[in-house]
Structures are given as structure tokens and as C-alpha cells.
Amino acid sequence: KNNFNILKYKAGDVFHLQDSMRIYFLLPDNDITKDASKLSNIFNYGDYAFILQYKNVKVLYLGILEAETVNYLSNAYSDFLNCDLVRAEFQESMNLSTFEFIKECKPLHAVITFGRKNKFSDLSDTVISRLKLSDIETHRTDISGAVIFESDGYSIEEVKWK
């Protein structure tokens, strides 16, 4: 009835939105996920990560990634992970779980998406401490609701919307 074009992307693909806006896909990495001997349980079905770049501003969006998958990203992409904003996971074992990965990304801002009365886990004090010690401005959806940022391609700032 409805005709939708479904586009599937994988690591290494680049989607050009405009001349100065691109999405770089980092996960899923089909070379790894196809070969069970390389898999070693580090990838969950549906793991994804991508960078949205608008001119000079980069936003790193990480799905719910286990620490081993984050280590894989660090090894595979190192300096390319350097970003202005990162969407962070709230659990200690997840994506911003190490100082090394935070240093790799060097974000100015981190958005932690965490619902009130979350049934899966409590917000990790370790992740919050690591972000604070790294001088990263942290924005939490459990406190402020939606978090909105605007960029001119050269800087990025939070929009005060309520």
C-alpha cells in the first residue's frame, strides 16, 4: 500500500545530506558481524554508531554499545571520533565507560539519554564523574527532558526551549 524506500547503511558508508552535511556510518560493521569467529559476542543485533558532520561540527551518536564494542570503535576510528557533542549511554558498562574513549572523542558536550523511573538501570555515577573530570558539559534528559542543540557549522550550543 505505502511505498517506502528503505536504505541500509553499514560501516564505511557516507550519506550526503547537503554539500556541507554528511553522516558517516561506523557500525554495523558487516565484515565483523558476518564472521562469527571474529564476533566474540561484542556486537548486539542492531548496534549502530554514526557521526553527523555539518561543516566543522561533529556529533557522535552511539547506540547502546557494550564496552568491547566501544574499544573496537576506538581501534578502528581513533582520531576520527573527535567530536563536539556525543550522545552518551547511562550505564557504566556502556559507551562512555572509559577515560580512554572520552579522550579519544574529546567532546565539548555529552547528552545522556535517560528516562525518569528507568526500569533497566540507574544512571551511572561513574559515567557522570568521568564526564565531569574531563570538563565535558553534561546534559541529561532525565532532568531537562528533551535536549536541543543548534549549530552554524562552526560552533554548537544548547537551545533553551522551556
Side-chain angles (χ1 to χ4, degrees):
K1 198 173 193 179
N2 294 321
N3 292 324
F4 294 100
N5 290 329
I6 297 174
L7 304 174
K8 293 184 180 183
Y9 290 93
K10 64 184 180 317
D13 288 345
V14 179
F15 183 68
H16 296 271
L17 299 167
Q18 299 174 351
D19 289 341
S20 56
M21 188 180 294
R22 296 169 297 289
I23 298 175
Y24 298 93
F25 292 88
L26 312 176
L27 288 176
D29 187 328
N30 289 345
D31 292 336
I32 300 282
T33 56
K34 276 192 268 186
D35 185 351
S37 66
K38 293 180 187 175
L39 190 58
S40 74
N41 297 321
I42 67 169
F43 289 95
N44 292 316
Y45 177 77
D47 277 354
Y48 58 92
F50 62 86
I51 291 175
L52 171 65
Q53 182 168 0
Y54 174 53
K55 296 180 183 176
N56 297 335
V57 173
K58 289 169 70 176
V59 176
L60 174 60
Y61 192 94
L62 302 170
I64 299 173
L65 306 178
E66 299 290 340
E68 285 183 82
T69 309
V70 171
N71 290 337
Y72 167 80
L73 282 176
S74 283
N75 293 330
Y77 295 101
S78 65
D79 289 340
F80 189 66
L81 297 173
N82 191 338
C83 62
D84 299 283
L85 183 144
V86 63
R87 182 268 187 185
E89 186 55 42
F90 60 88
Q91 295 169 316
E92 184 174 345
S93 65
M94 299 300 184
N95 53 39
L96 287 182
S97 60
T98 66
F99 276 121
E100 292 78 20
F101 191 70
I102 292 170
K103 288 178 192 173
E104 194 96 27
C105 298
K106 301 177 186 131
L108 301 172
H109 304 275
V111 175
I112 299 177
T113 54
F114 183 78
R116 288 187 183 132
K117 299 180 184 177
N118 186 304
K119 68 179 181 179
F120 297 106
S121 177
D122 290 329
L123 185 58
S124 169
D125 291 334
T126 303
V127 170
I128 298 296
S129 295
R130 286 181 181 147
L131 292 170
K132 190 173 187 174
L133 288 171
S134 300
D135 283 332
I136 297 168
E137 191 173 323
T138 304
H139 310 269
R140 295 173 43 181
T141 60
D142 63 320
I143 294 172
S144 61
V147 179
I148 301 171
F149 283 84
E150 281 186 346
S151 175
D152 60 2
Y154 302 101
S155 65
I156 189 167
E157 62 184 50
E158 184 179 13
V159 174
K160 301 297 182 195
W161 62 278
K162 36 176 192 170

PDB file of all heavy atoms in Angstrom, residues 32-67:
ATOM      1  N   ILE A  32      32.783  -7.691  10.314  1.00  0.00           N
ATOM      2  CA  ILE A  32      32.910  -8.331  11.619  1.00  0.00           C
ATOM      3  C   ILE A  32      31.687  -9.192  11.917  1.00  0.00           C
ATOM      4  O   ILE A  32      31.804 -10.343  12.318  1.00  0.00           O
ATOM      5  CB  ILE A  32      33.070  -7.273  12.737  1.00  0.00           C
ATOM      6  CG1 ILE A  32      34.312  -6.421  12.506  1.00  0.00           C
ATOM      7  CG2 ILE A  32      33.069  -7.913  14.106  1.00  0.00           C
ATOM      8  CD1 ILE A  32      35.608  -7.066  12.883  1.00  0.00           C
ATOM      9  N   THR A  33      30.492  -8.620  11.724  1.00  0.00           N
ATOM     10  CA  THR A  33      29.288  -9.323  12.153  1.00  0.00           C
ATOM     11  C   THR A  33      28.977 -10.547  11.309  1.00  0.00           C
ATOM     12  O   THR A  33      28.282 -11.444  11.769  1.00  0.00           O
ATOM     13  CB  THR A  33      28.065  -8.381  12.165  1.00  0.00           C
ATOM     14  OG1 THR A  33      27.912  -7.800  10.877  1.00  0.00           O
ATOM     15  CG2 THR A  33      28.214  -7.295  13.202  1.00  0.00           C
ATOM     16  N   LYS A  34      29.491 -10.626  10.075  1.00  0.00           N
ATOM     17  CA  LYS A  34      29.261 -11.808   9.233  1.00  0.00           C
ATOM     18  C   LYS A  34      30.086 -13.007   9.680  1.00  0.00           C
ATOM     19  O   LYS A  34      29.698 -14.131   9.485  1.00  0.00           O
ATOM     20  CB  LYS A  34      29.608 -11.500   7.773  1.00  0.00           C
ATOM     21  CG  LYS A  34      28.499 -10.840   7.017  1.00  0.00           C
ATOM     22  CD  LYS A  34      28.795 -10.847   5.545  1.00  0.00           C
ATOM     23  CE  LYS A  34      29.497  -9.581   5.164  1.00  0.00           C
ATOM     24  NZ  LYS A  34      29.722  -9.423   3.740  1.00  0.00           N
ATOM     25  N   ASP A  35      31.238 -12.741  10.257  1.00  0.00           N
ATOM     26  CA  ASP A  35      32.169 -13.803  10.613  1.00  0.00           C
ATOM     27  C   ASP A  35      32.062 -14.090  12.112  1.00  0.00           C
ATOM     28  O   ASP A  35      32.595 -13.364  12.935  1.00  0.00           O
ATOM     29  CB  ASP A  35      33.591 -13.378  10.249  1.00  0.00           C
ATOM     30  CG  ASP A  35      34.608 -14.484  10.481  1.00  0.00           C
ATOM     31  OD1 ASP A  35      34.264 -15.518  11.085  1.00  0.00           O
ATOM     32  OD2 ASP A  35      35.753 -14.316  10.042  1.00  0.00           O
ATOM     33  N   ALA A  36      31.376 -15.163  12.438  1.00  0.00           N
ATOM     34  CA  ALA A  36      31.121 -15.494  13.848  1.00  0.00           C
ATOM     35  C   ALA A  36      32.415 -15.701  14.635  1.00  0.00           C
ATOM     36  O   ALA A  36      32.458 -15.444  15.828  1.00  0.00           O
ATOM     37  CB  ALA A  36      30.242 -16.736  13.941  1.00  0.00           C
ATOM     38  N   SER A  37      33.488 -16.151  13.972  1.00  0.00           N
ATOM     39  CA  SER A  37      34.738 -16.370  14.696  1.00  0.00           C
ATOM     40  C   SER A  37      35.346 -15.049  15.166  1.00  0.00           C
ATOM     41  O   SER A  37      36.067 -15.006  16.145  1.00  0.00           O
ATOM     42  CB  SER A  37      35.747 -17.122  13.822  1.00  0.00           C
ATOM     43  OG  SER A  37      36.137 -16.325  12.719  1.00  0.00           O
ATOM     44  N   LYS A  38      35.058 -13.933  14.460  1.00  0.00           N
ATOM     45  CA  LYS A  38      35.549 -12.618  14.874  1.00  0.00           C
ATOM     46  C   LYS A  38      34.591 -11.949  15.851  1.00  0.00           C
ATOM     47  O   LYS A  38      34.946 -11.006  16.529  1.00  0.00           O
ATOM     48  CB  LYS A  38      35.707 -11.697  13.656  1.00  0.00           C
ATOM     49  CG  LYS A  38      36.776 -12.102  12.688  1.00  0.00           C
ATOM     50  CD  LYS A  38      36.790 -11.093  11.548  1.00  0.00           C
ATOM     51  CE  LYS A  38      37.726 -11.518  10.450  1.00  0.00           C
ATOM     52  NZ  LYS A  38      37.649 -10.608   9.301  1.00  0.00           N
ATOM     53  N   LEU A  39      33.378 -12.444  15.898  1.00  0.00           N
ATOM     54  CA  LEU A  39      32.312 -11.768  16.630  1.00  0.00           C
ATOM     55  C   LEU A  39      32.582 -11.700  18.133  1.00  0.00           C
ATOM     56  O   LEU A  39      32.443 -10.667  18.744  1.00  0.00           O
ATOM     57  CB  LEU A  39      30.978 -12.460  16.356  1.00  0.00           C
ATOM     58  CG  LEU A  39      29.725 -11.785  16.840  1.00  0.00           C
ATOM     59  CD1 LEU A  39      29.598 -10.396  16.257  1.00  0.00           C
ATOM     60  CD2 LEU A  39      28.518 -12.622  16.494  1.00  0.00           C
ATOM     61  N   SER A  40      32.922 -12.782  18.721  1.00  0.00           N
ATOM     62  CA  SER A  40      33.221 -12.906  20.162  1.00  0.00           C
ATOM     63  C   SER A  40      32.252 -12.116  21.044  1.00  0.00           C
ATOM     64  O   SER A  40      32.644 -11.498  22.012  1.00  0.00           O
ATOM     65  CB  SER A  40      34.662 -12.503  20.467  1.00  0.00           C
ATOM     66  OG  SER A  40      34.819 -11.107  20.398  1.00  0.00           O
ATOM     67  N   ASN A  41      30.995 -12.138  20.665  1.00  0.00           N
ATOM     68  CA  ASN A  41      29.918 -11.541  21.468  1.00  0.00           C
ATOM     69  C   ASN A  41      30.050 -10.042  21.725  1.00  0.00           C
ATOM     70  O   ASN A  41      29.476  -9.526  22.652  1.00  0.00           O
ATOM     71  CB  ASN A  41      29.794 -12.261  22.817  1.00  0.00           C
ATOM     72  CG  ASN A  41      29.406 -13.702  22.620  1.00  0.00           C
ATOM     73  OD1 ASN A  41      28.604 -14.013  21.752  1.00  0.00           O
ATOM     74  ND2 ASN A  41      29.994 -14.579  23.409  1.00  0.00           N
ATOM     75  N   ILE A  42      30.826  -9.311  20.918  1.00  0.00           N
ATOM     76  CA  ILE A  42      30.951  -7.882  21.186  1.00  0.00           C
ATOM     77  C   ILE A  42      29.875  -7.062  20.494  1.00  0.00           C
ATOM     78  O   ILE A  42      29.672  -5.911  20.845  1.00  0.00           O
ATOM     79  CB  ILE A  42      32.347  -7.323  20.828  1.00  0.00           C
ATOM     80  CG1 ILE A  42      32.614  -7.344  19.323  1.00  0.00           C
ATOM     81  CG2 ILE A  42      33.417  -8.028  21.595  1.00  0.00           C
ATOM     82  CD1 ILE A  42      33.845  -6.555  18.931  1.00  0.00           C
ATOM     83  N   PHE A  43      29.181  -7.632  19.528  1.00  0.00           N
ATOM     84  CA  PHE A  43      28.142  -6.883  18.831  1.00  0.00           C
ATOM     85  C   PHE A  43      26.774  -7.447  19.155  1.00  0.00           C
ATOM     86  O   PHE A  43      26.552  -8.642  19.102  1.00  0.00           O
ATOM     87  CB  PHE A  43      28.350  -6.953  17.313  1.00  0.00           C
ATOM     88  CG  PHE A  43      29.537  -6.164  16.848  1.00  0.00           C
ATOM     89  CD1 PHE A  43      30.753  -6.785  16.676  1.00  0.00           C
ATOM     90  CD2 PHE A  43      29.430  -4.816  16.598  1.00  0.00           C
ATOM     91  CE1 PHE A  43      31.851  -6.063  16.260  1.00  0.00           C
ATOM     92  CE2 PHE A  43      30.525  -4.083  16.182  1.00  0.00           C
ATOM     93  CZ  PHE A  43      31.734  -4.717  16.012  1.00  0.00           C
ATOM     94  N   ASN A  44      25.865  -6.571  19.500  1.00  0.00           N
ATOM     95  CA  ASN A  44      24.471  -6.946  19.655  1.00  0.00           C
ATOM     96  C   ASN A  44      23.768  -6.693  18.343  1.00  0.00           C
ATOM     97  O   ASN A  44      24.164  -5.823  17.580  1.00  0.00           O
ATOM     98  CB  ASN A  44      23.796  -6.098  20.744  1.00  0.00           C
ATOM     99  CG  ASN A  44      24.335  -6.404  22.111  1.00  0.00           C
ATOM    100  OD1 ASN A  44      24.520  -7.558  22.461  1.00  0.00           O
ATOM    101  ND2 ASN A  44      24.599  -5.373  22.881  1.00  0.00           N
ATOM    102  N   TYR A  45      22.691  -7.410  18.106  1.00  0.00           N
ATOM    103  CA  TYR A  45      21.904  -7.156  16.922  1.00  0.00           C
ATOM    104  C   TYR A  45      21.429  -5.707  16.954  1.00  0.00           C
ATOM    105  O   TYR A  45      20.891  -5.235  17.947  1.00  0.00           O
ATOM    106  CB  TYR A  45      20.696  -8.100  16.867  1.00  0.00           C
ATOM    107  CG  TYR A  45      19.800  -7.822  15.696  1.00  0.00           C
ATOM    108  CD1 TYR A  45      20.160  -8.238  14.433  1.00  0.00           C
ATOM    109  CD2 TYR A  45      18.623  -7.108  15.860  1.00  0.00           C
ATOM    110  CE1 TYR A  45      19.358  -7.969  13.347  1.00  0.00           C
ATOM    111  CE2 TYR A  45      17.804  -6.839  14.780  1.00  0.00           C
ATOM    112  CZ  TYR A  45      18.187  -7.270  13.520  1.00  0.00           C
ATOM    113  OH  TYR A  45      17.392  -6.999  12.444  1.00  0.00           O
ATOM    114  N   GLY A  46      21.648  -4.998  15.885  1.00  0.00           N
ATOM    115  CA  GLY A  46      21.175  -3.621  15.803  1.00  0.00           C
ATOM    116  C   GLY A  46      22.140  -2.584  16.343  1.00  0.00           C
ATOM    117  O   GLY A  46      21.806  -1.411  16.381  1.00  0.00           O
ATOM    118  N   ASP A  47      23.356  -2.990  16.772  1.00  0.00           N
ATOM    119  CA  ASP A  47      24.330  -1.995  17.207  1.00  0.00           C
ATOM    120  C   ASP A  47      24.603  -1.022  16.076  1.00  0.00           C
ATOM    121  O   ASP A  47      24.753  -1.421  14.928  1.00  0.00           O
ATOM    122  CB  ASP A  47      25.656  -2.665  17.583  1.00  0.00           C
ATOM    123  CG  ASP A  47      25.653  -3.213  18.981  1.00  0.00           C
ATOM    124  OD1 ASP A  47      24.675  -2.984  19.714  1.00  0.00           O
ATOM    125  OD2 ASP A  47      26.631  -3.875  19.339  1.00  0.00           O
ATOM    126  N   TYR A  48      24.670   0.245  16.408  1.00  0.00           N
ATOM    127  CA  TYR A  48      24.982   1.229  15.391  1.00  0.00           C
ATOM    128  C   TYR A  48      25.715   2.399  16.027  1.00  0.00           C
ATOM    129  O   TYR A  48      25.628   2.658  17.225  1.00  0.00           O
ATOM    130  CB  TYR A  48      23.722   1.729  14.682  1.00  0.00           C
ATOM    131  CG  TYR A  48      22.725   2.348  15.613  1.00  0.00           C
ATOM    132  CD1 TYR A  48      22.749   3.711  15.864  1.00  0.00           C
ATOM    133  CD2 TYR A  48      21.797   1.570  16.282  1.00  0.00           C
ATOM    134  CE1 TYR A  48      21.852   4.283  16.752  1.00  0.00           C
ATOM    135  CE2 TYR A  48      20.895   2.135  17.160  1.00  0.00           C
ATOM    136  CZ  TYR A  48      20.938   3.492  17.394  1.00  0.00           C
ATOM    137  OH  TYR A  48      20.063   4.059  18.277  1.00  0.00           O
ATOM    138  N   ALA A  49      26.457   3.081  15.197  1.00  0.00           N
ATOM    139  CA  ALA A  49      27.137   4.305  15.590  1.00  0.00           C
ATOM    140  C   ALA A  49      27.357   5.097  14.321  1.00  0.00           C
ATOM    141  O   ALA A  49      27.632   4.531  13.259  1.00  0.00           O
ATOM    142  CB  ALA A  49      28.473   3.990  16.261  1.00  0.00           C
ATOM    143  N   PHE A  50      27.192   6.411  14.431  1.00  0.00           N
ATOM    144  CA  PHE A  50      27.461   7.254  13.277  1.00  0.00           C
ATOM    145  C   PHE A  50      27.875   8.644  13.734  1.00  0.00           C
ATOM    146  O   PHE A  50      27.665   9.040  14.881  1.00  0.00           O
ATOM    147  CB  PHE A  50      26.262   7.340  12.332  1.00  0.00           C
ATOM    148  CG  PHE A  50      25.017   7.947  12.918  1.00  0.00           C
ATOM    149  CD1 PHE A  50      24.813   9.320  12.929  1.00  0.00           C
ATOM    150  CD2 PHE A  50      24.030   7.134  13.453  1.00  0.00           C
ATOM    151  CE1 PHE A  50      23.658   9.875  13.468  1.00  0.00           C
ATOM    152  CE2 PHE A  50      22.868   7.677  13.984  1.00  0.00           C
ATOM    153  CZ  PHE A  50      22.683   9.059  13.989  1.00  0.00           C
ATOM    154  N   ILE A  51      28.504   9.370  12.818  1.00  0.00           N
ATOM    155  CA  ILE A  51      28.884  10.760  13.051  1.00  0.00           C
ATOM    156  C   ILE A  51      28.111  11.614  12.062  1.00  0.00           C
ATOM    157  O   ILE A  51      28.135  11.352  10.854  1.00  0.00           O
ATOM    158  CB  ILE A  51      30.399  10.971  12.862  1.00  0.00           C
ATOM    159  CG1 ILE A  51      31.154  10.274  13.989  1.00  0.00           C
ATOM    160  CG2 ILE A  51      30.734  12.460  12.803  1.00  0.00           C
ATOM    161  CD1 ILE A  51      32.655  10.312  13.856  1.00  0.00           C
ATOM    162  N   LEU A  52      27.428  12.609  12.588  1.00  0.00           N
ATOM    163  CA  LEU A  52      26.772  13.619  11.767  1.00  0.00           C
ATOM    164  C   LEU A  52      27.708  14.817  11.754  1.00  0.00           C
ATOM    165  O   LEU A  52      28.039  15.364  12.810  1.00  0.00           O
ATOM    166  CB  LEU A  52      25.414  14.010  12.357  1.00  0.00           C
ATOM    167  CG  LEU A  52      24.721  15.216  11.715  1.00  0.00           C
ATOM    168  CD1 LEU A  52      24.353  14.926  10.262  1.00  0.00           C
ATOM    169  CD2 LEU A  52      23.488  15.600  12.510  1.00  0.00           C
ATOM    170  N   GLN A  53      28.173  15.191  10.558  1.00  0.00           N
ATOM    171  CA  GLN A  53      29.072  16.330  10.452  1.00  0.00           C
ATOM    172  C   GLN A  53      28.423  17.416   9.610  1.00  0.00           C
ATOM    173  O   GLN A  53      27.963  17.170   8.495  1.00  0.00           O
ATOM    174  CB  GLN A  53      30.406  15.935   9.831  1.00  0.00           C
ATOM    175  CG  GLN A  53      31.373  17.112   9.767  1.00  0.00           C
ATOM    176  CD  GLN A  53      32.787  16.712   9.429  1.00  0.00           C
ATOM    177  OE1 GLN A  53      33.096  15.546   9.238  1.00  0.00           O
ATOM    178  NE2 GLN A  53      33.662  17.694   9.373  1.00  0.00           N
ATOM    179  N   TYR A  54      28.377  18.630  10.181  1.00  0.00           N
ATOM    180  CA  TYR A  54      27.893  19.811   9.480  1.00  0.00           C
ATOM    181  C   TYR A  54      29.029  20.813   9.482  1.00  0.00           C
ATOM    182  O   TYR A  54      29.405  21.334  10.538  1.00  0.00           O
ATOM    183  CB  TYR A  54      26.648  20.374  10.166  1.00  0.00           C
ATOM    184  CG  TYR A  54      26.158  21.682   9.589  1.00  0.00           C
ATOM    185  CD1 TYR A  54      25.921  21.811   8.225  1.00  0.00           C
ATOM    186  CD2 TYR A  54      25.931  22.769  10.404  1.00  0.00           C
ATOM    187  CE1 TYR A  54      25.480  23.009   7.691  1.00  0.00           C
ATOM    188  CE2 TYR A  54      25.474  23.966   9.878  1.00  0.00           C
ATOM    189  CZ  TYR A  54      25.262  24.078   8.525  1.00  0.00           C
ATOM    190  OH  TYR A  54      24.819  25.262   7.992  1.00  0.00           O
ATOM    191  N   LYS A  55      29.616  21.038   8.330  1.00  0.00           N
ATOM    192  CA  LYS A  55      30.812  21.862   8.181  1.00  0.00           C
ATOM    193  C   LYS A  55      31.881  21.369   9.146  1.00  0.00           C
ATOM    194  O   LYS A  55      32.357  20.256   9.000  1.00  0.00           O
ATOM    195  CB  LYS A  55      30.485  23.343   8.350  1.00  0.00           C
ATOM    196  CG  LYS A  55      29.550  23.874   7.277  1.00  0.00           C
ATOM    197  CD  LYS A  55      29.249  25.336   7.477  1.00  0.00           C
ATOM    198  CE  LYS A  55      28.246  25.810   6.426  1.00  0.00           C
ATOM    199  NZ  LYS A  55      27.867  27.205   6.645  1.00  0.00           N
ATOM    200  N   ASN A  56      32.239  22.168  10.170  1.00  0.00           N
ATOM    201  CA  ASN A  56      33.302  21.778  11.107  1.00  0.00           C
ATOM    202  C   ASN A  56      32.796  21.117  12.383  1.00  0.00           C
ATOM    203  O   ASN A  56      33.594  20.726  13.227  1.00  0.00           O
ATOM    204  CB  ASN A  56      34.140  23.001  11.497  1.00  0.00           C
ATOM    205  CG  ASN A  56      34.864  23.597  10.310  1.00  0.00           C
ATOM    206  OD1 ASN A  56      35.131  22.919   9.325  1.00  0.00           O
ATOM    207  ND2 ASN A  56      35.167  24.876  10.394  1.00  0.00           N
ATOM    208  N   VAL A  57      31.494  21.017  12.550  1.00  0.00           N
ATOM    209  CA  VAL A  57      30.920  20.480  13.790  1.00  0.00           C
ATOM    210  C   VAL A  57      30.578  19.003  13.600  1.00  0.00           C
ATOM    211  O   VAL A  57      29.937  18.625  12.621  1.00  0.00           O
ATOM    212  CB  VAL A  57      29.666  21.283  14.210  1.00  0.00           C
ATOM    213  CG1 VAL A  57      28.975  20.623  15.391  1.00  0.00           C
ATOM    214  CG2 VAL A  57      30.044  22.717  14.541  1.00  0.00           C
ATOM    215  N   LYS A  58      31.004  18.196  14.574  1.00  0.00           N
ATOM    216  CA  LYS A  58      30.736  16.757  14.519  1.00  0.00           C
ATOM    217  C   LYS A  58      29.962  16.312  15.752  1.00  0.00           C
ATOM    218  O   LYS A  58      30.305  16.685  16.874  1.00  0.00           O
ATOM    219  CB  LYS A  58      32.050  15.975  14.436  1.00  0.00           C
ATOM    220  CG  LYS A  58      32.739  16.114  13.099  1.00  0.00           C
ATOM    221  CD  LYS A  58      34.146  15.556  13.108  1.00  0.00           C
ATOM    222  CE  LYS A  58      34.215  14.074  13.205  1.00  0.00           C
ATOM    223  NZ  LYS A  58      35.592  13.554  13.111  1.00  0.00           N
ATOM    224  N   VAL A  59      28.924  15.505  15.507  1.00  0.00           N
ATOM    225  CA  VAL A  59      28.126  14.909  16.572  1.00  0.00           C
ATOM    226  C   VAL A  59      28.271  13.394  16.442  1.00  0.00           C
ATOM    227  O   VAL A  59      27.988  12.824  15.387  1.00  0.00           O
ATOM    228  CB  VAL A  59      26.643  15.314  16.461  1.00  0.00           C
ATOM    229  CG1 VAL A  59      25.818  14.605  17.522  1.00  0.00           C
ATOM    230  CG2 VAL A  59      26.493  16.824  16.566  1.00  0.00           C
ATOM    231  N   LEU A  60      28.723  12.758  17.505  1.00  0.00           N
ATOM    232  CA  LEU A  60      28.882  11.306  17.533  1.00  0.00           C
ATOM    233  C   LEU A  60      27.671  10.704  18.219  1.00  0.00           C
ATOM    234  O   LEU A  60      27.375  11.038  19.370  1.00  0.00           O
ATOM    235  CB  LEU A  60      30.159  10.928  18.295  1.00  0.00           C
ATOM    236  CG  LEU A  60      30.420   9.447  18.542  1.00  0.00           C
ATOM    237  CD1 LEU A  60      30.514   8.669  17.229  1.00  0.00           C
ATOM    238  CD2 LEU A  60      31.692   9.277  19.359  1.00  0.00           C
ATOM    239  N   TYR A  61      26.961   9.858  17.501  1.00  0.00           N
ATOM    240  CA  TYR A  61      25.781   9.204  18.070  1.00  0.00           C
ATOM    241  C   TYR A  61      26.099   7.729  18.238  1.00  0.00           C
ATOM    242  O   TYR A  61      26.397   7.024  17.267  1.00  0.00           O
ATOM    243  CB  TYR A  61      24.563   9.372  17.167  1.00  0.00           C
ATOM    244  CG  TYR A  61      23.304   8.960  17.876  1.00  0.00           C
ATOM    245  CD1 TYR A  61      22.516   9.897  18.534  1.00  0.00           C
ATOM    246  CD2 TYR A  61      22.921   7.630  17.942  1.00  0.00           C
ATOM    247  CE1 TYR A  61      21.371   9.517  19.217  1.00  0.00           C
ATOM    248  CE2 TYR A  61      21.786   7.242  18.627  1.00  0.00           C
ATOM    249  CZ  TYR A  61      21.016   8.191  19.252  1.00  0.00           C
ATOM    250  OH  TYR A  61      19.898   7.803  19.947  1.00  0.00           O
ATOM    251  N   LEU A  62      26.055   7.288  19.470  1.00  0.00           N
ATOM    252  CA  LEU A  62      26.346   5.899  19.791  1.00  0.00           C
ATOM    253  C   LEU A  62      25.071   5.211  20.237  1.00  0.00           C
ATOM    254  O   LEU A  62      24.357   5.724  21.095  1.00  0.00           O
ATOM    255  CB  LEU A  62      27.384   5.815  20.919  1.00  0.00           C
ATOM    256  CG  LEU A  62      28.716   6.503  20.646  1.00  0.00           C
ATOM    257  CD1 LEU A  62      29.544   6.549  21.914  1.00  0.00           C
ATOM    258  CD2 LEU A  62      29.471   5.797  19.541  1.00  0.00           C
ATOM    259  N   GLY A  63      24.791   4.078  19.659  1.00  0.00           N
ATOM    260  CA  GLY A  63      23.689   3.268  20.139  1.00  0.00           C
ATOM    261  C   GLY A  63      24.065   2.694  21.498  1.00  0.00           C
ATOM    262  O   GLY A  63      25.044   3.100  22.123  1.00  0.00           O
ATOM    263  N   ILE A  64      23.318   1.738  21.952  1.00  0.00           N
ATOM    264  CA  ILE A  64      23.618   1.107  23.233  1.00  0.00           C
ATOM    265  C   ILE A  64      24.709   0.076  22.977  1.00  0.00           C
ATOM    266  O   ILE A  64      24.453  -1.034  22.541  1.00  0.00           O
ATOM    267  CB  ILE A  64      22.362   0.468  23.845  1.00  0.00           C
ATOM    268  CG1 ILE A  64      21.317   1.554  24.074  1.00  0.00           C
ATOM    269  CG2 ILE A  64      22.697  -0.251  25.144  1.00  0.00           C
ATOM    270  CD1 ILE A  64      19.978   1.032  24.520  1.00  0.00           C
ATOM    271  N   LEU A  65      25.941   0.487  23.199  1.00  0.00           N
ATOM    272  CA  LEU A  65      27.100  -0.328  22.866  1.00  0.00           C
ATOM    273  C   LEU A  65      27.789  -0.834  24.116  1.00  0.00           C
ATOM    274  O   LEU A  65      28.009  -0.078  25.060  1.00  0.00           O
ATOM    275  CB  LEU A  65      28.103   0.498  22.046  1.00  0.00           C
ATOM    276  CG  LEU A  65      27.568   1.178  20.797  1.00  0.00           C
ATOM    277  CD1 LEU A  65      28.678   1.986  20.141  1.00  0.00           C
ATOM    278  CD2 LEU A  65      26.972   0.181  19.833  1.00  0.00           C
ATOM    279  N   GLU A  66      28.153  -2.079  24.084  1.00  0.00           N
ATOM    280  CA  GLU A  66      28.928  -2.659  25.174  1.00  0.00           C
ATOM    281  C   GLU A  66      30.348  -2.107  25.124  1.00  0.00           C
ATOM    282  O   GLU A  66      30.811  -1.617  24.085  1.00  0.00           O
ATOM    283  CB  GLU A  66      28.969  -4.189  25.045  1.00  0.00           C
ATOM    284  CG  GLU A  66      27.615  -4.856  25.118  1.00  0.00           C
ATOM    285  CD  GLU A  66      26.989  -4.809  26.500  1.00  0.00           C
ATOM    286  OE1 GLU A  66      27.729  -4.615  27.483  1.00  0.00           O
ATOM    287  OE2 GLU A  66      25.765  -4.969  26.584  1.00  0.00           O
ATOM    288  N   ALA A  67      31.051  -2.177  26.239  1.00  0.00           N
ATOM    289  CA  ALA A  67      32.404  -1.634  26.347  1.00  0.00           C
ATOM    290  C   ALA A  67      33.336  -2.230  25.289  1.00  0.00           C
ATOM    291  O   ALA A  67      34.166  -1.515  24.716  1.00  0.00           O
ATOM    292  CB  ALA A  67      32.958  -1.871  27.748  1.00  0.00           C
TER     293      ALA A  67
END
